[in-house]
Amino acid sequence: MLKTNDLGYWYDRQENSLFEHVNLEFKSGTSYAIVGQSGSGKTTFLSLLAGLDKPRAGQIELNGEPINKIGLTNYRKSHVAIVFQSYNLFNYMSPLNNLLTAMAVTESSHRGDKDYAAEMLRKLGITDEQMKKNVQKLSGGQQQRVAIARTMCCDAKLVVADEPTGNLDEENTKYVIEQFQKIAHEQNKCVIIVTHESDVAKACDHSYRLSKHEFALES
Amino acid sequence: MNFFKRAWLNLTAKKGRSILLILVTSAIMLFVLAGLLIRNAADTATSNAKKSVGATITLSANREAAFKKMRSSTSTSKKSKPKLTTSPVKLSDAKKIAKLNNISSYSATVSTSANAKGFDAISTSSSSNGGGMGMKGGMSSSSSSGDIAISGVTSTASTSAFEEKSSKITKGRGITTADEGTNNVVIESELAKEDSLSVGDTIKLKATTGSKKTYTMKIVGIYKASSSTSTEQGPGATDPSNSVYTSYTFANTVKGSKYKNTADSVTFNVSDPAKVSAVKTAGKKLINTSKYSLSTNDSSYQTVKASMDNVKSFADKIVWLVAIAGTIILALIVILMIRERRYEIGVLLSLGEARWKIVAQFFVEMVMVLIVSIVIAGAGGKFVGNKLGQQLVSQQTTTATTSSTSTQTQGGQPGGGGGAPSGGSKPSGNMNGGTPGSSSSTTTSQKQTELDVSVTVLDLVELGGFGLAIMFLSIMLASGGILRLQPKKVLIE
C-alpha cells in the first residue's frame, strides 16, 4: 500500500541526515510500530508518511503513485488519518462535533451522519452524555479514544499515530492498542505507530527500529 | 461549507472572547456610523439650504458706468458741477428677466421720502447716549429730503426685514400686489403710538419734489421693527420708526411722473442657488449693461454651504481615521487570535483542510461579530452622531457667523436717501441704505445648519459595507500567519 523509495531527510546538512536510502513497505490490514531512541528521527519519518512534511531525498508512493503528485493536502484529506500524543482535538467542540467536523473536512462517505459518529464513539466507550460535553471536560484517556474514533470515521486507509499512548495510564494504553489492532485487522487499514514503549511495539504485527540512521525490522 | 458551522461553534463556545470582540467592533462601528451620519446629515443640510436659503439677483442702475460717464463729462467741461445720472430700472426689463428659468419670483423696490403733514415724525436725538429713539420733538436729524422714508415694495412679505422676522406685522396686514395703484400704507408701531394712529386711519404725506403734492394715505397695517435695527442707522438717516411701506406704484407717484413703471431696483429670487451664475449670465443678455447692472447675493447659501462643507470634511476624516484605526486594531486582535488558535489550525491542516477555508472561517466569525456590532452601533449611533454633530455645527456656525458678520460690516454702507427700509428681498448688507433686519441673515443660516441626524437602513447598509471592508482587510493582514503555518511544527515538534 505505502512504499518509501530511497527516502532521506536532514535539517541543515546532508552529512547530518536523520536517515537516508530508506526503502520500506507498509501493507493494508497490518499494524507497524516504529521504535527508536529520542531524537533518532522516528517522528520526522512519521510526519513524512503523514504528508505533513516533504522528504529531502527519495519519495513515498501510495498504491504506486508518488504522494507529491497527489498533493500533500489532498493526500492528508483523503488517504491519511493522524493520531497525536496530545490528542489535538477541537477544544471548543463536543466529541460528536469533533467527529462530524473531521468527517466533513475529509469528505468522508459518512459525512453528516450523526448516528454513525455516535456509534463510533460508543464503540470506544464514550457515553451519550460524554459525547455532548465539551471535549476538554473528558479525561486524557477519553480524549485519546475520541481521537481514535475520529480516524475510524474517516475513509483514510492509512492511520499514523505519534506516541498515542504517551499520556495514558496502563489500562488506557492497553485499550488504545487494542483499538488500533481492530482498525488494522477489522477495517483492513494500515496502521503505523511511532512509540518508545516496548509493550506497544510488541502488540503490533511488525516493528521497525530506527537506529544509527537506518531502519531495521525487529519482528 | 463546514467552515460556517465551525465559526458558529467557535463563537458560541467561547462566549467571553466573543463578547469582547463584539464590544471592540461595536465601538469601532459606532464611530464609523457617527461619521457617516454626520456626513450624510451635512449633505442633506446643504441640499436643504439650497432649497430654503435661496439666492437673489438684483437688477439696479449701473452706478459704476454712471460714475465713469460723470468723470468723462467733468473732464471735458471743467466749469460745470459734476452730476451723477442713473437710470431707474424699467419694469418691462425686469419682466423679461423674470421669465428666465430658475427665477421663482421678483419684487420691485422704490425708495423715496416725503414730509409728514398733520402728524409728527419721530425725531432722533443726536446725544452721545445713542438712545433717543421715540423722542418726540427732539433735535431733528438734518435731512434735505422728507422726514418720512417711503419704501415702495411689491409686497412687504418678500422684503428681507419681514422674511427674516426682524420686522413683524402687529396689526392689520402688510402690503401686497393687490395694493398696486392704491395709497395704502404700513407704518411703524412707535410712530403709530406717538401719533395715536391705528389701522383704518388716514395720514397725509407731502412730496418734497416735483409738484410737492399732498397725498392722503390709508393705514392698512402696523409693523414692529426689532429694536436692534435702530442702531444700524447711519448719519443723516431718519429714525427707523419713520419708515413706512407702500406699494412701489405709490412711491413712483411721489417721485414724479417720469418714474412711472420703473423701480430703483428689482430683486429676483433664484430657486436653485447653485444656478445663480447661469441666471445672471442669461439675464445680462436681456438688459443694457451700460445702464443697468445685475448683482448676485447668495451669501446666506454660501455661509451654510461653507459651514456644512467643513462639517462634512471633518466627518469624512472621522470615517477614514476610525476605519484605518479599526482595521489596525482588528488586524492585531485577529493576529493574536490566530496565534492562540495555532493548534486548531494545525489540526485542520492535518485533516487536509484548504488554507483558504481556514481563512474563510475566521472571516465568517468576524462577520458574525460584525452583524451584532452593527445592531448595537445602530442603536447608539444616533445618540453619538447627534452629540458630535451638534458640537461640530456649533463650532462651524460660530466661525461662519463671525466671518459673515465682518463681511457685512465692511459691505454695508451708512444709508443714503433718508434711510429707507430695505426693499430688497433676502440679501442684506446691500447699498439700499439703513436696513432694518440686515443683522438677521446669520440667524437664518444658523437655523438652517442644524443637523438632522437619523439612522436609516441605507446608513446601516453603508456601515455594513465599511465593516466588511475593515474585516476583510484585517483578516487579510492577519492571514499571513495561517498561510505560513506548518502543521508539522505545530502538532509534532
Side-chain angles (χ1 to χ4, degrees):
Chain A
M1 183 196 179
L2 196 73
K3 236 173 114 178
T4 63
N5 296 328
D6 281 334
L7 201 68
Y9 194 91
W10 54 89
Y11 283 103
D12 45 0
R13 289 180 189 175
Q14 194 172 355
E15 303 92 83
N16 300 330
S17 67
L18 290 171
F19 46 81
E20 268 189 284
H21 308 294
V22 178
N23 292 290
L24 298 176
E25 195 171 350
F26 302 94
K27 290 180 178 168
S28 300
T30 313
S31 62
Y32 299 87
I34 293 168
V35 292
Q37 287 183 325
S38 294
S40 58
K42 53 188 190 297
T43 295
T44 302
F45 179 70
L46 190 83
S47 70
L48 297 178
L49 296 184
L52 294 171
D53 203 353
K54 289 174 188 170
R56 294 296 176 105
Q59 63 179 23
I60 301 165
E61 283 179 8
L62 178 77
N63 299 323
E65 190 179 8
I67 63 168
N68 56 338
K69 275 196 177 172
I70 299 170
L72 290 188
T73 302
N74 269 338
Y75 173 70
R76 291 197 301 265
K77 187 177 191 172
S78 309
H79 303 288
V80 191
I82 313 169
V83 178
F84 302 93
Q85 183 179 354
S86 52
Y87 330 127
N88 286 335
L89 298 167
F90 299 110
N91 61 8
Y92 55 89
M93 291 183 194
S94 64
L96 193 62
N97 274 328
N98 260 281
L99 263 61
L100 289 168
T101 300
M103 287 157 75
V105 171
T106 59
E107 295 174 5
S108 154
S109 54
H110 296 285
R111 69 180 158 195
D113 190 343
K114 268 188 184 177
D115 294 338
Y116 180 79
E119 189 54 38
M120 289 295 124
L121 286 167
R122 272 188 218 111
K123 269 188 184 177
L124 286 160
I126 305 295
T127 64
D128 284 11
E129 195 190 340
Q130 286 168 337
M131 67 180 73
K132 284 169 190 168
K133 278 183 183 175
N134 183 286
V135 79
Q136 284 181 307
K137 289 180 180 167
L138 303 182
S139 70
Q142 287 167 333
Q143 286 190 49
Q144 195 60 295
R145 288 179 202 193
V146 174
I148 294 167
R150 185 168 68 182
T151 66
M152 290 162 71
C153 284
C154 300
D155 296 339
K157 289 288 177 188
L158 173 66
V159 175
V160 296
D162 181 31
E163 305 278 9
T165 56
N167 292 338
L168 304 181
D169 58 24
E170 202 177 330
E171 194 185 337
N172 273 307
T173 300
K174 202 177 166 189
Y175 185 84
V176 164
I177 292 305
E178 278 174 18
Q179 296 310 315
F180 278 121
Q181 288 295 84
K182 279 185 183 176
I183 291 170
H185 300 144
E186 290 175 15
Q187 295 188 5
N188 196 33
K189 292 185 179 182
C190 175
V191 176
I192 304 168
I193 302 169
V194 162
T195 183
H196 64 270
E197 292 176 58
S198 56
D199 289 349
V200 176
K202 277 177 193 167
C204 292
D205 300 334
H206 298 288
S207 176
Y208 286 102
R209 177 170 290 277
L210 175 57
S211 176
K212 294 177 185 173
H213 318 294
E214 285 182 0
F215 283 87
L217 184 65
E218 280 197 329
S219 62
Chain B
M1 290 294 153
N2 186 247
F3 57 84
F4 280 101
K5 194 183 173 188
R6 290 203 305 266
W8 174 250
L9 286 172
N10 191 279
L11 284 176
T12 49
K14 297 180 177 176
K15 290 187 179 71
R17 197 199 61 186
S18 302
I19 289 168
L20 279 175
L21 263 177
I22 287 170
L23 288 177
V24 171
T25 313
S26 296
I28 294 166
M29 289 297 108
L30 194 67
F31 282 102
V32 172
L33 180 63
L36 289 175
L37 289 178
I38 294 166
R39 193 183 65 179
N40 291 349
D43 268 343
T44 311
T46 310
S47 61
N48 283 346
K50 275 185 188 175
K51 290 173 195 160
S52 58
V53 176
T56 56
I57 292 179
T58 304
L59 173 66
S60 56
N62 190 339
R63 290 173 64 81
E64 204 179 326
F67 271 112
K68 266 187 190 171
K69 199 175 172 186
M70 180 187 81
R71 278 193 288 272
S72 62
S73 64
T74 314
S75 59
T76 50
S77 56
K78 286 182 180 175
K79 286 179 183 175
S80 63
K81 201 177 172 183
K83 192 182 176 187
L84 182 71
T85 311
T86 56
S87 306
V89 174
K90 283 182 188 167
L91 287 177
S92 54
D93 286 339
K95 279 173 187 166
K96 282 183 208 165
I97 294 173
K99 283 177 186 167
L100 289 173
N101 283 339
N102 292 305
I103 298 285
S104 56
S105 62
Y106 73 98
S107 64
T109 307
V110 179
S111 296
T112 186
S113 62
N115 282 322
K117 194 174 178 190
F119 71 101
D120 294 317
I122 290 173
S123 301
T124 308
S125 166
S126 59
S127 73
S128 58
N129 287 339
M133 183 182 166
M135 296 296 287
K136 196 174 172 185
M139 190 177 151
S140 176
S141 58
S142 63
S143 170
S144 58
S145 51
D147 47 15
I148 297 293
I150 299 170
S151 181
V153 295
T154 309
S155 80
T156 46
S158 64
T159 63
S160 63
F162 283 88
E163 271 201 338
E164 290 159 8
K165 313 259 189 269
S166 62
S167 292
K168 280 179 192 169
I169 298 288
T170 52
K171 282 176 189 168
R173 61 170 179 82
I175 296 294
T176 64
T177 47
D179 292 307
E180 281 181 21
T182 68
N183 286 6
N184 292 340
V185 67
V186 172
I187 64 169
E188 212 278 329
S189 59
E190 290 297 332
L191 182 68
K193 208 165 143 187
E194 289 302 316
D195 290 300
S196 302
L197 295 169
S198 57
V199 174
D201 291 348
T202 53
I203 54 172
K204 283 181 180 172
L205 291 175
K206 191 178 180 185
T208 54
T209 54
S211 61
K212 300 198 175 178
K213 198 177 164 186
T214 300
Y215 299 92
T216 303
M217 314 289 295
K218 186 184 177 189
I219 300 169
V220 292
I222 292 171
Y223 76 94
K224 170 88 179 157
S226 69
S227 56
S228 64
T229 57
S230 66
T231 58
E232 295 184 10
Q233 296 303 304
T238 185
D239 189 277
S241 298
N242 293 331
S243 297
V244 300
Y245 287 95
T246 67
S247 168
Y248 70 94
T249 52
F250 175 77
N252 277 340
T253 309
V254 173
K255 283 174 91 172
S257 57
K258 68 175 178 177
Y259 289 96
K260 196 177 180 185
N261 291 326
T262 65
D264 290 352
S265 64
V266 178
T267 304
F268 302 91
N269 291 319
V270 182
S271 52
D272 184 354
K275 301 268 169 65
V276 161
S277 298
V279 173
K280 187 182 174 184
T281 310
K284 272 187 173 178
K285 290 175 185 166
L286 301 173
I287 57 167
N288 180 352
T289 48
S290 64
K291 279 186 176 179
Y292 307 118
S293 71
L294 273 176
S295 60
T296 57
N297 190 333
D298 58 351
S299 59
S300 296
Y301 167 69
Q302 292 301 341
T303 306
V304 173
K305 193 173 175 290
S307 170
M308 286 299 105
D309 282 351
N310 282 339
V311 171
K312 204 176 140 188
S313 150
F314 193 78
D316 272 340
K317 281 177 190 136
I318 289 177
V319 170
W320 286 111
L321 276 175
V322 174
I324 292 165
T327 306
I328 293 167
I329 292 167
L330 283 173
L332 290 173
I333 290 172
V334 176
I335 287 168
L336 288 174
M337 204 164 79
I338 286 170
R339 286 178 70 86
E340 182 205 322
R341 292 166 66 180
R342 286 171 81 231
Y343 280 96
E344 181 194 338
I345 298 166
V347 175
L348 284 166
L349 290 172
S350 75
L351 286 169
E353 183 67 303
R355 288 172 195 266
W356 75 263
K357 284 187 180 173
I358 299 171
V359 175
Q361 181 191 334
F362 281 90
F363 184 66
V364 170
E365 282 177 26
M366 295 307 282
V367 169
M368 287 174 180
V369 165
L370 178 70
I371 291 166
V372 181
S373 302
I374 286 174
V375 173
I376 295 170
K382 184 178 162 63
F383 176 77
V384 176
N386 254 328
K387 290 280 171 202
L388 202 60
Q390 291 315 323
Q391 180 67 30
L392 278 172
V393 167
S394 70
Q395 283 172 0
Q396 291 306 324
T397 310
T398 308
T399 314
T401 306
T402 312
S403 62
S404 171
T405 309
S406 68
T407 310
Q408 286 178 16
T409 310
Q410 286 163 12
Q413 299 288 322
S422 165
S425 289
K426 289 168 187 170
S428 55
N430 56 20
M431 298 289 283
N432 279 343
T435 54
S438 67
S439 64
S440 63
S441 69
T442 51
T443 316
T444 313
S445 62
Q446 272 176 323
K447 276 179 194 165
Q448 277 145 354
T449 52
E450 279 172 13
L451 288 183
D452 178 23
V453 178
S454 56
V455 183
T456 63
V457 177
L458 206 67
D459 292 325
L460 293 179
V461 170
E462 198 175 357
L463 179 69
F466 255 95
L468 275 177
I470 290 173
M471 291 302 177
F472 183 76
L473 279 173
S474 309
I475 297 290
M476 286 299 112
L477 286 171
S479 63
I482 297 172
L483 299 176
R484 284 195 308 271
L485 197 75
Q486 295 297 322
K488 182 195 164 196
K489 285 186 178 170
V490 180
L491 301 173
I492 294 178
E493 287 178 5

